[in-house]
Amino acid sequence: MRLLVTGGAGFIGSNFVHLTVRERPDVQVTVLDALTYAGDKTSLAPVADKVTLVEGDITDAELVDRLVGESDLVVHFAAESHNDNSLTNPWPFVHTNLIGTYTLLEAVRKHGVRFHHISTDEVYGDLELDDPAKFTADTPYNPSSPYSSTKAGSDLLVRAWARSFGIQATISNCSNNYGPYQHIEKFIPRQITNLIDGIKPRLYGKGENVRDWIHVEDHNSAVWTIIEKGQIGETYLIGADGEKNNLEVVEALLEAFGLAKDDFDHVKDRAGHDLRYAIDSSKLRDELGWEPKYTDFQSGLQATVDWYKANEAWWRPAKEATEAKYAAAGH
Ligand SMILES: NC(=O)c1ccc[n+]([C@@H]2O[C@H](COP(=O)([O-])OP(=O)(O)OC[C@H]3O[C@@H](n4cnc5c(N)ncnc54)[C@H](O)[C@@H]3O)[C@@H](O)[C@H]2O)c1
């Protein structure tokens, strides 16, 4: 099978490529990645001899048409993915998440190639902290930021192309991921790399906001399950019942470093910060038989901390620039 992975030099995409090379040696992998600030060739270094990396943009219709035409399956991870950045400059989000997805869909439609679209639970907006509900594939879309609204738009494009043109597509909406190779601008790796540098964790507001954490390996095993067993045209929610508020995450991080639970600083909450996300993944579990492996958050987090400690050469070059960007934005 010839597989095209967009965004395969990013966090989840590179882990997906690693998993594929490890467990599916018959799959021939090509990565299409623009290597933006979030993409890193070195994330693919351990599998470099088994993967073809094409540096290019998913809005480049000619390139996309050629690569899709040479593939049997496209798994689409490429995106602008950081909420905070979308509040300062929304344009790259519109460009990549909407126009990029459109460009891929047109190529997939032309060549009749199977397509799996990676999306987020943030398209559903947020739940009240005391609301017992969880998101399902039937929850109405209610995105809050330029990031989540462009992801919502990309999902709707995929649905429309499936309905109107009969493309062979599935969609997954996953909760917050953690694990190796995540850019240090994101909450967990930023705190981990700060702790390695002896800087206290920082918490938005009171830390009451709840995220449903899933290890990236579990996300990616679910994606393969959907590719192999999912119904064409369907949307599957991926989650591992990992609801934790931000205070609990910070406490778990401090524990992973052997520090006191209250050894952190507060920062002001950001505009439109969603309260709670929670995923009901029963459709994926009951209909397709998927189960997560990393069900203990503390041990998954400890493994992630250990990875960042052992791979400083991977994250250190981006640290100073990332912190300068946050400092300029007042975070
Ligand atoms: N990180 C999460 O917790 C999470 C949760 C659910 C869903 N998702 C979704 O998973 C996907 C991957 O997220 P991530 O966290 O790995 O993101 P990431 O920012 O780490 O990686 C994105 C990758 O896409 C590439 N890219 C960006 N614009 C491109 C373009 N125009 N053309 C080609 N490549 C381009 C970047 O270079 C980078 O390698 C996204 O679609 C995101 O919405 C992420």
Side-chain angles (χ1 to χ4, degrees):
M1 180 202 273
R2 297 165 305 165
L3 165 66
L4 179 65
V5 181
T6 72
F11 163 44
I12 307 174
S14 64
N15 278 284
F16 182 77
V17 171
H18 285 264
L19 179 74
T20 303
V21 167
R22 206 166 58 236
E23 294 187 352
R24 289 174 168 76
D26 51 323
V27 177
Q28 205 179 304
V29 184
T30 300
V31 167
L32 171 60
D33 199 298
L35 299 178
T36 68
Y37 81 94
D40 190 338
K41 261 188 209 171
T42 62
S43 302
L44 295 172
V47 291
D49 56 335
K50 300 195 175 69
V51 171
T52 306
L53 172 62
V54 179
E55 187 177 342
D57 200 294
I58 56 165
T59 61
D60 179 343
E62 209 175 304
L63 174 65
V64 164
D65 181 73
R66 177 171 67 77
L67 293 174
V68 170
E70 293 167 358
S71 307
D72 304 303
L73 165 68
V74 177
V75 183
H76 176 34
F77 290 94
E80 283 293 333
S81 70
H82 191 37
N83 256 316
D84 285 357
N85 293 346
S86 80
L87 299 172
T88 30
N89 182 14
W91 164 243
F93 292 75
V94 172
H95 172 85
T96 292
N97 301 357
L98 290 172
I99 301 171
T101 301
Y102 158 79
T103 308
L104 283 158
L105 287 169
E106 282 294 84
V108 161
R109 173 186 171 198
K110 177 174 159 194
H111 296 286
V113 172
R114 172 86 170 84
F115 185 73
H116 182 73
H117 179 64
I118 304 290
S119 193
T120 165
D121 62 349
E122 299 194 29
V123 297
Y124 300 114
D126 60 348
L127 300 160
E128 291 299 323
L129 291 176
D130 56 358
D131 186 342
K134 292 187 171 198
F135 301 133
T136 72
D138 299 322
T139 304
Y141 276 28
N142 186 25
S144 4
S145 70
Y147 165 61
S148 51
S149 61
T150 53
K151 288 301 292 185
S154 70
D155 294 5
L156 298 180
L157 290 177
V158 179
R159 288 186 188 183
W161 260 243
R163 269 289 290 270
S164 308
F165 306 121
I167 65 160
Q168 303 289 294
T170 41
I171 299 175
S172 55
N173 297 82
C174 187
S175 60
N176 276 51
N177 285 220
Y178 69 97
Y181 297 109
Q182 185 168 28
H183 195 283
I184 53 161
E185 68 184 356
K186 299 284 171 27
F187 181 63
I188 286 184
R190 184 169 182 223
Q191 309 296 344
I192 292 174
T193 51
N194 277 349
L195 277 160
I196 292 172
D197 283 348
I199 299 163
K200 285 183 185 187
R202 313 178 73 196
L203 193 65
Y204 278 118
K206 286 188 193 148
E208 285 172 319
N209 303 56
V210 174
R211 300 291 176 262
D212 192 347
W213 291 98
I214 182 171
H215 194 280
V216 65
E217 288 278 320
D218 284 333
H219 182 178
N220 286 330
S221 74
V223 170
W224 267 115
T225 300
I226 296 165
I227 291 164
E228 289 174 343
K229 299 189 195 161
Q231 294 255 10
I232 296 299
E234 288 292 307
T235 293
Y236 295 90
L237 270 62
I238 305 174
D241 295 330
E243 276 185 67
K244 297 261 173 288
N245 71 30
N246 287 349
L247 174 62
E248 290 170 316
V249 175
V250 164
E251 288 175 345
L253 280 162
L254 288 163
E255 190 181 329
F257 278 85
L259 297 167
K261 270 182 156 187
D262 58 355
D263 204 4
F264 60 83
D265 292 327
H266 290 280
V267 289
K268 207 169 138 267
D269 215 350
R270 74 172 178 227
H273 200 154
D274 284 344
L275 288 179
R276 172 171 165 255
Y277 309 133
I279 286 270
D280 176 350
S281 60
S282 52
K283 179 174 166 185
L284 174 65
R285 294 174 193 241
D286 299 347
E287 292 178 17
L288 308 188
W290 172 83
E291 285 297 333
K293 282 195 194 125
Y294 289 82
T295 48
D296 176 37
F297 181 67
Q298 189 66 46
S299 58
L301 192 65
Q302 185 70 58
T304 305
V305 167
D306 294 344
W307 187 88
Y308 279 89
K309 282 184 176 169
N311 290 277
E312 186 169 340
W314 180 83
W315 58 265
R316 178 60 72 188
K319 184 67 179 163
E320 205 180 315
T322 304
E323 290 306 324
K325 204 168 72 181
Y326 273 119
H331 296 229

